Amino acid sequence: MIHKGGCHCGAVKFEVEAPEDLVAELCNCSICSMTSYLHLIVPKNCFRLVAGQEALETYTFNTGVAQHHFCRHCGIKSFYVPRSNPDGISVNVRCLLPETISSIQIRNFDGRNWELNAHELAHLSAEDNKTENPTGVDEVDVSAVDLEEAVVLRTFSHRQEADLAIGYLHSCGIPAIVTGDDCGGLRPELSQSLGVRILVSPDHQAEADRLLEEIPDGLPG
């Protein structure tokens, strides 16, 4: 089914291929909560921008991976490239015309603990509906990190540094998550005062600490 949608003023128009019965994600992270965004994540080849390329502006924050496109005339973000699915598109279901929608099932997504839950969305943008692992590295089950028992491995002043360390630990098969009080990246200055923490389970603490110590030139923290 081809659904049509766009921004409030009509400058931005798009089409998206998706079932009549939609499954949408309601995220509770800071930016999604503020914009009341309702996600329909699809592969990029299922999305077509019909009009309004020249009307689009882009907002980025934190890691800069997510490309938050919005209409410069009316300010509406009708679609964007999400950090969880950089190979796909997230369409705002609230911006779709209702005529082609039979039903909408809404699933809650805990975006406030993004690092712990992002893997749940990865398959949505895969063209064959199967999650691929282009790095060739076995995926790490970060749900193995029990937040009640986890220990702080490192504290960083900037989230980018923490993301670098997390990526290295995951590539070595160590489950780890990042926590920080920077309002989902909207207030990065809080990271400098409160810090961004890497958490691991006690069973992995010694090995994770050794791995970070062995990184060339080290990592600040």
Side-chain angles (χ1 to χ4, degrees):
M1 173 63 68
I2 300 298
H3 302 279
K4 296 183 178 182
C7 66
H8 186 265
C9 70
V12 176
K13 298 179 181 179
F14 62 82
E15 295 178 346
V16 60
E17 183 179 352
E20 295 180 14
D21 299 301
L22 300 179
V23 178
E25 313 292 333
L26 182 62
C27 177
N28 64 357
C29 79
S30 57
I31 192 167
C32 290
S33 296
M34 289 181 178
T35 58
S36 193
Y37 202 95
L38 191 56
H39 298 259
L40 173 64
I41 300 174
V42 299
K44 282 187 177 178
N45 64 358
C46 292
F47 176 87
R48 185 170 75 93
L49 182 62
V50 176
Q53 179 66 56
E54 72 286 349
L56 290 173
E57 299 285 352
T58 301
Y59 168 66
T60 62
F61 66 96
N62 195 8
T63 63
V65 175
Q67 303 291 303
H68 298 271
H69 305 307
F70 62 94
C71 175
R72 63 185 177 90
H73 301 296
C74 64
I76 294 299
K77 183 174 76 171
S78 55
F79 72 94
Y80 81 111
V81 178
R83 179 183 171 194
S84 60
N85 302 75
D87 58 340
I89 295 289
S90 175
V91 169
N92 190 347
V93 173
R94 304 184 195 278
C95 293
L96 293 176
L97 298 178
E99 289 82 359
T100 53
I101 301 174
S102 295
S103 66
I104 303 174
Q105 176 188 350
I106 298 177
R107 300 186 300 198
N108 290 321
F109 175 74
D110 185 9
R112 293 181 181 176
N113 296 295
W114 190 91
E115 290 81 5
L116 189 62
N117 300 304
H119 66 282
E120 298 177 2
L121 304 178
H123 69 284
L124 297 176
S125 54
E127 293 184 10
D128 58 358
N129 291 323
K130 295 181 180 179
T131 303
E132 297 180 357
N133 183 11
T135 64
V137 178
D138 291 338
E139 293 186 2
V140 173
D141 182 12
V142 294
S143 64
V145 181
D146 187 334
L147 292 178
E148 294 184 358
E149 298 181 357
V151 295
V152 177
L153 181 68
R154 290 285 194 284
T155 300
F156 296 90
S157 298
H158 302 283
R159 181 173 286 266
Q160 289 87 343
E161 297 169 347
D163 286 341
L164 176 63
I166 279 285
Y168 181 67
L169 290 175
H170 286 180
S171 71
C172 296
I174 302 294
I177 61 174
V178 173
T179 64
D181 299 318
D182 59 355
C183 296
L186 288 176
R187 297 190 60 188
E189 72 276 6
L190 294 180
S191 297
Q192 299 180 19
S193 58
L194 302 176
V196 181
R197 299 171 295 280
I198 290 183
L199 305 181
V200 297
S201 67
D203 293 342
H204 292 112
Q205 182 179 9
E207 178 66 9
D209 187 66
R210 181 187 67 79
L211 288 169
L212 292 189
E213 290 292 339
E214 291 179 354
I215 293 180
D217 299 326
L219 280 172

